[in-house]
Amino acid sequence: MLVLQEISKFLEQMGKSMDDFHLVPDYLGVTLDQRTTKEIETERNIQFTEEDLLLSSKLNAGQKFAYSSIMKQVFSPKKQSFFIDGPGGTGKTFLYRSILATLRSQGYIAIAVALSGIAVSILSGGRIAHSRFKIPLDISGNKSCQVSKQSSTAKLLIEAKLILWDEASMAKKEIIETFDMLLKDIMECDDPFGGKLVVFGGDFRQTLPVIKDATRDVLVQSSFVNSHLWTTLQKITLSENIRAVMDHSFSEFLLRIGEGREPEDEDGKISLCKDMTIPYDGKEASLNRLIESVFGDLNVYFSDPYQMINRCILSGTNNVVDDVNQLIIDRFPRDPHTYISSDRTLNERDQGDYEDFLNSLNPKGLPPHKLILKENCPIILLRNLNPMEGLCNGTRLICRELRHNTICAEIAVGQYRGKRVFLPKIPLQTSDSEKNGIPFKRTQFPVKLCFAMTINKSQGQTLDYVGIYLREPVFSHGQLYVAISRAKSSSAVKALIVPATYRDVVTECKTRNVVFHEVLELARQ
């Protein structure tokens, strides 16, 4: 019975129940009333700290205005929903924590969601939006949430005083519109979002929703700012960069990059200051200097890996990231542990013909066939294993014990920092959108090294030292802005720009910056 209770708890954290999988006989199942009561009580009893309660007294002018405007709407008979716009480092999360703690301390339900696991992990009681509201992952094929009016989720939404949605700028407009229809249906009200108080937050200077093989026009049209709901929101902008408060010129430089105002030369490139760049004089020598500038002596981190966890090299593509991670793990102290995956075709008849081919593949979102780790090295989680306990897609961890069938790791960032967890091998299937030719499952530990990570993966994280390796120029809206804004000051950023040809070495401080001005213009409306 204790085992069943533990399984039930994990399933509930992921928006499921024992009944969904017929794990217990009907007479032992939980009734709808019991499930509803438990779900509401769980939200009502989310823990908050004394520190979070005191945050409202530490807000700056912009945050105070947003806080008071939102709190006034909590008890207003006709609700006005909001969008909190703020560049990276302006304290959006600080504001969210204050609002959530205030409402929860008064016994009210405040639901917190985000699109990515890493954003959820820094919001107390946060959940993935798709999981919380049962939004289909493929929104193009099904534009309705799988939530009935009689369900426990519906009862919870009715009880909630506020719904907070972080990273909404990364959502496709269809996702927001589906959420709006859900609330209108549950609340039986045609007002925007069913008359509920919804606070969205985000930064349209950062990367936009990922739409595979989309043209620029299609991507812009799919953005939240193109939804009819955008005009119903009250916009509040946070402008004071708290993260870069000691480096005002850096803060202004970030804004110019994010808004596409940094001057470009005749080739459409912007200039980075020389103090921020690594001179290029050959691939190997230059990359070694970038690694040295970010990490220094790798032997130091074996005894204290926490000195390393907030240092990272960012790049635009997975191939470059994998190359850098392999280079650094080879130099990291101690003996390697190699974990080999089991790759199986979905059609068993193809297994004998394609096994070696599958082993050679490295699809996006899957761990490598040959995973090489060392004790105390940094890793990043590739799946949402248990977001309520800090195990999200994007969580960074430190390897503590490398066993045959499990990895004992320590969560290195966020509210669960220092917590020890055991990671198992799990089956991971290639995405339907991956063009590998042969659909297959890879059973492997759901982690990768994270001395380096992609720029998109770093979104939402703050780092002490940032290396930017531009073996190829950035290719998507907001990528350069996201990469540079992970740091708190210009002195904590080093960029290595690889020239297209050796004769271009004189332009080593110049690179491309991709900004969709039409999105930013729509966001200001």
Side-chain angles (χ1 to χ4, degrees):
M1 184 58 71
L2 290 176
V3 172
L4 289 174
Q5 289 176 353
E6 193 71 9
I7 293 173
S8 178
K9 183 180 76 171
F10 288 138
L11 288 173
E12 287 169 3
Q13 290 171 351
M14 299 173 192
K16 300 290 185 180
S17 72
M18 300 278 277
D19 295 340
D20 295 333
F21 299 94
H22 307 291
L23 293 176
V24 295
D26 291 340
Y27 65 87
L28 290 177
V30 179
T31 67
L32 176 60
D33 286 343
Q34 290 174 322
R35 191 184 306 171
T36 299
T37 300
K38 187 171 183 179
E39 186 159 5
I40 290 175
E41 286 305 308
T42 298
E43 281 289 331
R44 207 183 293 277
N45 293 326
I46 290 174
Q47 297 298 309
F48 52 87
T49 65
E50 289 297 322
E51 178 187 359
D52 284 351
L53 271 178
L54 295 173
L55 292 181
S56 59
S57 64
K58 301 177 182 179
L59 303 175
N60 61 32
Q63 292 167 329
K64 283 181 181 177
F65 175 75
Y67 177 87
S68 59
S69 300
I70 292 166
M71 295 305 294
K72 283 178 184 177
Q73 290 295 318
V74 170
F75 303 104
S76 174
K78 191 171 179 66
K79 302 291 192 293
Q80 167 71 63
S81 292
F82 296 83
F83 187 91
I84 307 299
D85 174 35
T90 52
K92 295 189 293 295
T93 302
F94 196 88
L95 171 65
Y96 303 155
R97 287 171 56 198
S98 178
I99 293 170
L100 293 172
T102 299
L103 290 174
R104 288 166 176 169
S105 69
Q106 297 172 8
Y108 298 117
I109 292 175
I111 297 174
V113 300
L115 282 183
S116 73
I118 195 63
V120 163
S121 68
I122 58 178
L123 293 174
S124 179
R127 288 273 294 274
I128 303 293
H130 285 277
S131 170
R132 168 55 78 195
F133 306 128
K134 310 295 189 295
I135 302 173
L137 292 176
D138 182 8
I139 200 70
S140 62
N142 182 7
K143 294 186 178 180
S144 62
C145 301
Q146 305 304 307
V147 177
S148 71
K149 288 185 179 181
Q150 293 74 37
S151 67
S152 58
T153 300
K155 305 293 184 186
L156 178 66
L157 291 171
I158 292 171
E159 290 280 331
K161 281 289 184 184
L162 174 143
I163 301 170
L164 192 153
W165 188 323
D166 194 16
E167 288 190 338
S169 55
M170 296 172 61
K172 299 176 185 178
K173 70 175 183 180
E174 291 84 3
I175 291 176
I176 305 298
E177 290 169 355
T178 300
F179 171 61
D180 171 61
M181 289 189 291
L182 168 68
L183 292 181
K184 286 177 177 176
D185 180 50
I186 288 173
M187 301 303 298
E188 299 182 347
C189 174
D190 290 331
D191 290 342
F193 305 107
K196 301 296 291 186
L197 173 57
V198 183
V199 178
F200 296 100
D203 179 6
F204 287 100
R205 303 163 193 83
Q206 297 190 10
T207 55
L208 294 173
V210 176
I211 302 175
K212 197 169 183 66
D213 299 327
T215 64
R216 173 174 176 146
D217 289 341
V218 170
L219 197 150
V220 173
Q221 288 298 319
S222 297
S223 179
F224 182 13
V225 291
N226 263 303
S227 170
H228 65 277
L229 294 164
W230 179 251
T231 57
T232 70
L233 301 175
Q234 180 179 336
K235 287 80 174 181
I236 299 177
T237 300
L238 303 180
S239 56
E240 183 180 342
N241 195 316
I242 301 169
R243 189 187 295 166
V245 68
M246 301 304 292
D247 193 340
H248 181 71
S249 62
F250 179 58
S251 177
E252 289 296 316
F253 176 65
L254 286 177
L255 273 181
R256 293 198 302 272
I257 289 180
E259 296 173 359
R261 295 186 286 109
E262 186 67 10
E264 298 179 351
D265 65 11
E266 62 275 10
D267 295 322
K269 295 181 178 181
I270 67 167
S271 295
L272 304 182
C273 65
K274 289 189 176 181
D275 291 342
M276 199 184 286
T277 57
I278 298 286
Y280 182 83
D281 59 358
K283 177 183 175 181
E284 185 175 346
S286 302
L287 182 54
N288 284 338
R289 280 205 303 277
L290 179 66
I291 294 171
E292 173 71 20
S293 68
V294 175
F295 293 103
D297 184 2
L298 290 169
N299 291 289
V300 171
Y301 305 127
F302 181 77
S303 58
D304 185 7
Y306 276 101
Q307 290 189 48
M308 168 190 57
I309 203 64
N310 282 327
R311 301 166 181 257
C312 196
I313 292 175
L314 308 179
S315 194
T317 64
N318 283 291
N319 288 339
V320 177
V321 166
D322 292 342
D323 290 346
V324 174
N325 276 324
Q326 187 59 54
L327 188 62
I328 299 178
I329 194 65
D330 288 342
R331 303 177 184 181
F332 200 72
R334 287 300 177 97
D335 296 328
H337 292 250
T338 302
Y339 297 102
I340 304 298
S341 73
S342 171
D343 297 338
R344 308 291 301 181
T345 57
L346 299 189
N347 187 338
E348 288 295 330
R349 290 177 298 180
D350 296 331
Q351 183 65 27
D353 295 330
Y354 294 108
E355 184 169 359
D356 290 341
F357 171 66
L358 299 181
N359 293 166
S360 69
L361 297 178
N362 195 16
K364 178 184 175 183
L366 262 62
H369 167 63
K370 183 182 291 187
L371 179 65
I372 301 174
L373 303 176
K374 293 181 180 179
E375 188 178 327
N376 283 352
C377 74
I379 54 176
I380 189 167
L381 201 58
L382 301 178
R383 287 292 186 277
N384 293 317
L385 295 186
N386 191 346
M388 295 289 285
E389 298 296 328
L391 294 178
C392 308
N393 185 349
T395 297
R396 284 177 286 145
L397 308 100
I398 297 169
C399 290
R400 288 304 194 182
E401 294 179 45
L402 299 169
R403 304 178 181 179
H404 183 67
N405 293 314
T406 58
I407 294 174
C408 177
E410 190 173 303
I411 298 176
V413 294
Q415 60 179 318
Y416 295 98
R417 175 184 166 119
K419 180 181 178 180
R420 293 283 181 109
V421 295
F422 291 94
L423 304 177
K425 285 188 175 183
I426 63 173
L428 302 155
Q429 187 169 332
T430 52
S431 169
D432 292 338
S433 62
E434 287 290 337
K435 297 179 179 178
N436 299 309
I438 304 298
F440 72 99
K441 286 185 179 181
R442 171 166 289 171
T443 301
Q444 178 63 287
F445 292 103
V447 299
K448 292 179 76 171
L449 287 164
C450 74
F451 295 104
M453 70 174 86
T454 61
I455 293 171
N456 287 28
K457 199 76 170 179
S458 73
Q459 191 157 300
Q461 310 202 32
T462 302
L463 302 168
D464 293 334
Y465 293 92
V466 177
I468 304 172
Y469 184 30
L470 297 177
R471 198 160 78 185
E472 298 94 19
V474 296
F475 55 87
S476 183
H477 170 87
Q479 281 187 319
L480 186 62
Y481 167 75
V482 168
I484 299 177
S485 64
R486 297 311 91 202
K488 301 174 184 177
S489 66
S490 58
S491 61
V493 180
K494 290 295 181 184
L496 173 59
I497 303 168
V498 179
T501 61
Y502 187 75
R503 63 181 176 81
D504 292 334
V505 72
V506 293
T507 63
E508 63 196 9
C509 294
K510 294 186 177 183
T511 190
R512 184 182 173 199
N513 181 33
V514 181
V515 176
F516 294 176
H517 293 277
E518 51 268 55
V519 169
L520 301 181
E521 290 169 5
L522 287 167
R524 296 187 187 104
Q525 295 178 6

